[in-house]
Amino acid sequence: MTYDLYIGDRLFSSWSLRGWLMFEKFSIPFKTHMIGLYSGQMARDMAPLAPARLVPTIRTPDGTVVGECLAIAETLAERHPDAGLWPKDESARATARWLCAEMATGFGALREACPMQLKYVHQGFEPSAAVLTDLERIETLWAHARAVSGSQHDWLFGNYCLADVFYAPVAARIVGYDLPVSAASRAYCDALLRDPAVLKWRAEALKVTYDPFPYALDLPNSPWPDYR
Ligand SMILES: N[C@@H](CCC(=O)N[C@@H](CS)C(=O)NCC(=O)O)C(=O)O
């Protein structure tokens, strides 16, 4: 018996990427099922999971349906206490929870102005003041995480944990819209996107082509960084 994970289009579904990383990065066995986000079939595809209506949604091996990334994260952490989803240290763990919760409920301006897309880097995107405020807050939280954990490289709390999962799609937005962040924050974004799991996700994502391309912007594009 394994978990079932229901996700949307990999190129665009930031929440699906979070849900998938929660399994993939912590070696929790799962089977992926695609839900048609842009096919007009989403309601029909999700009907067997009702009242869940968004992706990701999971079904646990005992048949319980769980929606919402924060709930999925806590469910997996509780059921797999040795998998390292949360940091071991109590302060680090509390801080990681905070960062995940603030991500899940905040940064509306960034999320609205810069939908995740893993295909290109948009050149010349001009972030609004509200987007810049969100970026500043994100960088403050990342710096705080490192101050609490003492981690000076790659992951926020030393080992890769759920906080890194929650911020991986944020990194994709920062890189995909070439948003202004400090060198240290950009290095963290690059680490998140260079991670083999994210490379695997993106390789699958690129197998699907879109015409028209959702969320197209009238801006020149440059290639996604070569993280291989
Ligand atoms: N708060 C939810 C957000 C999930 C979400 O918004 N997923 C999007 C795809 S990235 C979705 O299902 N959109 C379809 C819709 O809004 O109808 C979570 O934490 O999982």
Side-chain angles (χ1 to χ4, degrees):
M1 291 284 272
T2 187
Y3 289 87
D4 290 299
L5 168 68
Y6 297 83
I7 59 169
D9 300 50
R10 291 180 177 87
L11 208 56
F12 305 105
S13 182
S14 56
W15 293 103
S16 295
L17 172 55
R18 291 185 181 98
W20 182 82
L21 286 171
M22 290 180 208
F23 290 93
E24 182 74 10
K25 285 298 294 177
F26 302 98
S27 302
I28 300 172
F30 69 108
K31 187 163 182 264
T32 302
H33 306 269
M34 295 306 298
I35 298 287
L37 263 184
Y38 304 104
S39 65
Q41 303 292 336
M42 179 149 184
R44 197 196 64 183
D45 290 352
M46 292 297 292
L49 302 165
R53 59 193 176 92
L54 300 177
V55 285
T57 292
I58 67 166
R59 194 192 298 277
T60 65
D62 55 290
T64 307
V65 173
V66 187
E68 292 290 322
C69 278
L70 282 174
I72 295 169
E74 290 294 1
T75 301
L76 295 180
E78 182 184 276
R79 289 173 181 232
H80 302 275
D82 299 327
L85 281 92
W86 291 123
K88 277 199 174 62
D89 175 79
E90 209 170 68
S91 301
R93 192 162 63 248
T95 309
R97 279 198 165 98
W98 167 14
L99 261 71
C100 291
E102 187 156 339
M103 193 280 119
T105 57
F107 316 133
L110 173 66
R111 284 154 62 176
E112 192 175 332
C114 306
M116 190 184 89
Q117 56 77 30
L118 300 173
K119 190 150 172 98
Y120 313 109
V121 175
H122 294 305
Q123 295 296 335
F125 178 83
E126 290 195 10
S128 66
V131 170
L132 292 175
T133 301
D134 279 353
L135 289 173
E136 199 179 316
R137 177 67 184 165
I138 288 163
E139 294 198 80
T140 299
L141 290 173
W142 289 351
H144 178 65
R146 292 189 188 282
V148 169
S149 68
S151 174
Q152 290 179 355
H153 55 272
D154 286 5
W155 316 130
L156 292 177
F157 293 94
N159 293 330
Y160 192 101
C161 77
L162 285 167
D164 303 299
V165 165
F166 273 69
Y167 283 90
V170 173
R173 290 178 152 102
I174 290 172
V175 167
Y177 292 78
D178 199 20
L179 299 175
V181 291
S182 70
S185 294
R186 174 64 196 222
Y188 175 50
C189 293
D190 289 336
L192 286 169
L193 300 179
R194 188 183 293 119
D195 187 74
V198 174
L199 295 184
K200 183 173 163 186
W201 172 274
R202 184 168 180 266
E204 275 304 306
L206 291 173
K207 290 180 183 168
V208 183
T209 51
Y210 295 86
D211 186 17
F213 191 77
Y215 318 118
L217 290 183
D218 193 14
L219 288 173
N221 298 317
S222 60
W224 195 255
D226 185 358
Y227 285 121
R228 288 161 302 148

